[in-house]
């Protein structure tokens, strides 16, 4: 599987599993009540804002000065407070808009939620956005490595109510004050700076932790040294999710991770980590662990076996070496996803009578030594939807029971093994392979 595909699958999981559910608590319903009329001044401001944009696909066609479009609370992406009629939410996520941010947004003084991300805005982010002092949630960015830039994030420090800050593909190369600014946002709960070309910065000193930060995602940047761990730990003492995927992080992961006792998700996908994962370095609170696409070595059992809350585990494409036995899974009764693919040194030695403590949905064991026998324990897995045991040195007949034991199976790859006997006709099923 190429990194791109993996990455997509990965993002999907990340977004679906952890992120949306959490963010949803901040989002209000977008419906507006009959009878609400928006305020004239705010309507004018939105029209001015639209004027400075290029709306190639007509996504904002409900916005207009015509009489029948008068109530801007009914415009696409706009939500008004049902008591004050003020616009409180503007959600223009992914509408392919181009052009500049107009200063007219400042007229919408009670804006609490602003999402302009995944558009094609260019130029410098106007610092006057820092005057929208009631903002709880701010998302900005372009749809790719575009030319949206900010040379300093100091303007953000005026947003004292900010809970949720996301920048995607904003060029922050020159914004060396980003960390200093973050430390001033004491109400921040979610920080995501994705693909912003961030690299080494000196920690501001003295350095005050914001105890409210629970999600930190600094993925797709240029971080290369594991100094990032102590820095992040200083940012928050109650971290729930840490995403550092697709950076250039090297060396070993620090033992001090163990102290992050509230960490439920750790995503280090696609870096250059080496060495063994130190015994007991990973906090037992972990529910989601992705160490895939690195160069980790050593055994799996020692670092994973005690993570009894684990639901999603991916160690894909590393250099782990281990003989996996039943005992690895002794504590892993909540596991839903097991991805050990492409670790050539991993082989399985599991007795045919094993009754696992888990019910898996996703099993990816491609490129591991699973054979010579077809894994009999799969018979117990009633929830299985995705199974890849391709290229797994299996030399066996394909078992008859398999088709009945996993009624939810949607995606199967058993290629590059040595099966004999007759496979049933699958042409009417939905299998990909
Ligand atoms: C106003 O909206 C809030 C939640 O957004 C809702 O709980 C409340 O019932 C609404 N009030 C009216 C008068 O519709
Ligand atoms: C955005 O602003 C720049 C500089 O102020 C200007 O040259 C450009 O034409 C503006 N773009 C649009 C779409 O108005
Ligand atoms: C932003 O607020 C500052 C201070 O409150 C004020 O001086 C400045 O004029 C405001 N900027 C805009 C564009 O309204
Ligand atoms: C980002 O900004 C830096 C410094 O201004 C510049 O050298 C670099 O080319 C920019 N990157 C992109 C993709 O525009
Ligand atoms: C990333 O930042 C470095 C300097 O830190 C700069 O030389 C480089 O052009 C930037 N890359 C992009 C894609 O902006
Ligand atoms: C750190 O926090 C303490 C107590 O909240 C405060 O007195 C101090 O000024 C802060 N220091 C900095 C550098 O912000
Ligand atoms: C973390 O905080 C400690 C204590 O305040 C400080 O000594 C250390 O330098 C900080 N580390 C980083 C990387 O900011
Ligand atoms: C974990 O925290 C304890 C108490 O704060 C401290 O003594 C210990 O050195 C920390 N361990 C690591 C590995 O950072
Ligand atoms: C399972 O958890 C217990 C208690 O934390 C621990 O002693 C044991 O070593 C764990 N088993 C494995 C295989 O890690
Ligand atoms: C597999 O496990 C059995 C006992 O559980 C042991 O006797 C056998 O030597 C193991 N085989 C390998 C190749 O490790
Ligand atoms: C099935 O597995 C083989 C070998 O691992 C791989 O080359 C192939 O791309 C996979 N097929 C699909 C549809 O993923």
């Amino acid at each position: 599987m190429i990194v791109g595909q993996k990455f997509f699958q990965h993002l999907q999981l990340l977004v679906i599993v952890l992120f949306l559910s959490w963010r949803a608590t901040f989002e209000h319903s977008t419906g507006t009540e009959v009878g609400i009329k928006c305020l004239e001044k705010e309507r004018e401001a939105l029209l001015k804002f639209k004027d400075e944009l290029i709306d190639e696909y007509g996504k904002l066609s409900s916005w207009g000065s015509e009489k029948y479009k008068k109530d801007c609370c009914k415009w696409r992406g706009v939500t008004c407070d049902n008591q004050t009629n003020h616009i409180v939410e503007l959600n223009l996520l992914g509408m392919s808009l181009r052009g500049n941010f107009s200063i007219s947004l400042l007229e919408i003084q009670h804006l609490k939620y602003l999402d302009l991300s995944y558009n094609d805005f260019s130029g410098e982010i106007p610092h006057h956005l820092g005057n929208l002092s009631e903002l709880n949630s701010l998302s900005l960015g372009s749809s790719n490595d575009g030319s949206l830039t900010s040379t300093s994030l100091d303007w953000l420090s005026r947003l004292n109510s900010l809970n949720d800050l996301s920048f995607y593909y904003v060029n922050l190369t020159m914004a060396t004050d980003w960390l200093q600014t973050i430390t001033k946002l004491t109400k921040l709960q979610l920080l995501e700076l994705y693909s912003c070309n961030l690299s080494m910065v000196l920690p501001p000193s003295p350095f005050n932790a914001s105890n409210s930060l629970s999600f930190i995602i600094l993925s797709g940047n240029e971080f290369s040294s594991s100094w990032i761990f102590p820095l992040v730990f200083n940012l928050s003492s109650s971290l729930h999710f840490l995403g550092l995927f697709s950076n250039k992080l090297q060396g070993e992961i620090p033992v001090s991770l163990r102290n992050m006792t509230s960490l439920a998700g750790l995503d280090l996908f696609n870096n250059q980590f080496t060495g063994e994962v130190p015994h007991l370095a990973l906090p037992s609170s972990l529910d989601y662990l992705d160490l895939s696409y690195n160069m980790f070595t050593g055994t799996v059992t020692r670092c994973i076996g005690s993570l009894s809350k684990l639901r999603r585990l991916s160690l894909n494409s590393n250099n782990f070496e281990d003989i996996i036995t039943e005992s690895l899974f002794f504590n892993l009764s909540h596991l839903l996803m097991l991805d050990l693919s492409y670790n050539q040194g991993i082989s399985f030695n599991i007795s045919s009578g094993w009754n696992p403590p888990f019910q898996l949905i996703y099993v990816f064991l491609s490129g591991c030594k699973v054979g010579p026998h077809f894994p009999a324990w799969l018979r117990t897995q009633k929830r299985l939807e995705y199974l890849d045991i391709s290229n797994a040195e299996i030399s066996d007949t394909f078992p008859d029971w398999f088709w009945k034991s996993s009624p939810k199976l949607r995606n199967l790859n058993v290629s590059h093994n040595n099966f004999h006997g007759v496979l049933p006709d699958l042409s009417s099923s939905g299998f990909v392979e």
Side-chain angles (χ1 to χ4, degrees), residues 56-98:
E56 208 168 322
Y57 302 97
K59 303 271 185 176
L60 301 182
S61 58
S62 58
W63 296 30
S65 48
E66 297 90 336
K67 199 165 178 205
Y68 71 100
K69 293 180 179 170
K70 201 159 176 62
D71 185 1
C72 71
C73 296
K74 295 199 171 74
W75 292 357
R76 185 166 183 185
V78 177
T79 306
C80 297
D81 184 283
N82 59 10
Q83 277 164 9
T84 64
N85 291 352
H86 281 296
I87 296 172
V88 289
E89 196 173 313
L90 188 55
N91 183 354
L92 305 181
L93 167 76
M95 294 198 179
S96 307
L97 305 170
R98 291 190 287 132

Side-chain angles (χ1 to χ4, degrees), residues 170-228:
V170 177
N171 188 347
L172 297 181
T173 299
M174 307 300 283
T176 51
D177 60 354
W178 67 271
L179 183 59
Q180 198 149 10
T181 304
I182 297 313
T183 64
K184 291 179 192 157
L185 299 173
T186 54
K187 294 208 177 120
L188 208 58
Q189 299 185 338
L190 179 148
L191 171 68
E192 179 170 22
L193 300 175
Y194 180 78
S195 277
C196 293
N197 200 23
L198 296 173
S199 55
M200 187 71 174
V201 289
L202 294 172
S205 92
F207 189 103
N208 260 2
S210 146
N211 287 315
S212 55
L213 256 174
S214 57
F215 281 64
I216 297 183
I217 300 170
L218 297 173
S219 298
N221 288 300
E222 302 285 319
F223 295 120
S224 59
S225 130
S226 44
W227 66 271
I228 190 81

Side-chain angles (χ1 to χ4, degrees), residues 107 135 151 158 173 185 273 357 368 372:
E107 300 288 334
L135 276 182
T151 50
R158 284 178 282 151
T173 299
L185 299 173
F273 286 108
C368 302

